[in-house]
Amino acid sequence: MLGFSQFLSQLGGLLGGAGSEFDPNSPLLWVYIVSIAIIPFFMMYAQKFQSRVILGEISKSLGKLKTMKEGARKEAVNYVKTAIRTFTSNDPATGVDRFLEYFTIMPVDLDPSGIVRKLDHIMRTRDERLRAEVRKLCSGASDQEVSKVENILEAATALNMIYKIVRHFYLMGKRTTSMFVLVQLQMVMPLLLEEAEALQKAINAFKRGQPIGDGIGPMVVGKMMFGKEKKLVAKETVYSEDEFKGRKLYLLKAEGPAGTVGRPGEAITRLAGDMGIKIDVIVMIDAALKLEGERTGDVAEGIGAAIGGIGVEKYQIEDVATRLEIPVYAVIVKQSIQDAITIMRKEIADAFEKVTNTVYSVIEDKTSEGQSVMIIGVGNTMGVGQ
Amino acid sequence: MLFGKKKEVKPDIYTEDKCQACGENTRRQFEEGDYVYRSGLQCKKCSSSNTLVIAIYGEYPPEDKH
């Protein structure tokens, strides 16, 4: 068996030391020992250290999310208290808290046949129930005020949900010290924070009734409808008739300036289906998510139903279009998710003329005189009249 | 700054009125109750009260680009 000093000598040789001339009193000796010892130490504990660092980072972000969601709740309560001036003496905080915890159970998709109808039914029930809750919360308020509160509460609910999900995975990662859970959470955290910040900013726009980026579609169609008779065709959805170079135009949008997206799917089903109005072409105008590197406010045109959401409205529009063989054209204005839910940026408002010209050029190119066109302004019409 | 806190940039919010008589566009600060396609303020050029709010938007300083 080797003695300790012999062992160190050999070690020194291996590490490029002076070999047999190894000096046990040299300070380099300790550098060698520490260098060697640190490897198994990190082999055992590196992951734990990394977990600690990640937990620290997530904890900081979770703190930010908590501040945001509490701020949103407070703003919602204060708005109902001060701006709406309810006639009931109840504290709105209880109602707001109940709203924040409201959930929706999606229909079973084991047998997907007919799922859209079920989804539509559930979403309608949800919307009606929430609207009734908000009305109870701010009794005596106008429709526009009610829609503002509804939008504020929806943003606050989304923030609450983001916070709760992040907290769930954070605590789970902490309890199990699972690197996989923590790393995944750390990776998505910047995106979640961006979205949360956008929701927080959206509350300000909703409170003041300002148009948001998503409202560019209703803004374009609202201008076309201005000064014409508006008829209610579905819940919170109006349409007008107009003419352009010998073509009949049917203009459709959510009824503004309240913060609503209306029901364009139901409206088109009623107009083209039940009322039997002959439509040759559908043109949809909507905000669309841009890719990184694309410019906010860029306009593009394409084919298909340009509408977001859970998919019910899109299904209804596609169903009518397919059944009646109506081509659907889309004009979109590119923007980020943050731009879409916060005050409309100047770049988006500046796209107005270009979108209008594009829509008219699509009509001229794709239809002939005597034909009829349905133009739908898709999006939240908050702060945009008609 | 490498480790500095990102400063939150707030947009200036403007309302743009268009005079229906002379076509003059006027930009002003957003006021509570403004919405697109409601009547705007009196035209500064021709004093007509037939004006229309044609846009409401937020303008960010040029360096804040999404």
Side-chain angles (χ1 to χ4, degrees), chain A residues 51-69:
Chain A
S51 301
R52 286 287 157 110
V53 172
I54 296 173
L55 273 171
E57 273 180 30
I58 298 172
S59 168
K60 246 189 261 172
S61 305
L62 191 65
K64 275 188 207 166
L65 284 174
K66 191 176 182 187
T67 315
M68 282 188 221
K69 77 117 190 174

Side-chain angles (χ1 to χ4, degrees), chain A residues 200-215:
Chain A
Q200 196 187 25
K201 284 182 193 164
I203 291 177
N204 284 331
F206 293 144
K207 264 165 59 181
R208 304 182 74 190
Q210 294 161 341
I212 56 172
D214 188 39

Side-chain angles (χ1 to χ4, degrees), chain A residues 201 208-211 219 222-223 226 257 290 296 336 338-339 343-346 349 352 383-386, chain B residues 6 8-9 11 13 20 27 30-37 52 54-60 64-66:
Chain A
K201 284 182 193 164
R208 304 182 74 190
Q210 294 161 341
M219 194 164 135
K223 179 73 194 297
F226 186 72
K290 72 180 180 85
T296 299
S336 67
Q338 289 85 358
D339 297 332
I343 171 87
M344 186 181 285
R345 286 176 82 104
K346 188 174 187 299
F352 177 90
V384 180
Q386 57 275 323
Chain B
K6 207 174 126 193
E8 193 193 340
V9 187
I13 298 162
Q20 301 297 291
R27 191 165 95 150
F30 172 83
E31 283 172 27
E32 218 60 49
D34 280 350
Y35 65 84
V36 182
Y37 308 130
L52 190 69
I54 54 161
I56 296 169
Y57 52 79
E59 199 170 30
Y60 286 86
D64 179 51
K65 287 217 165 101
H66 276 257

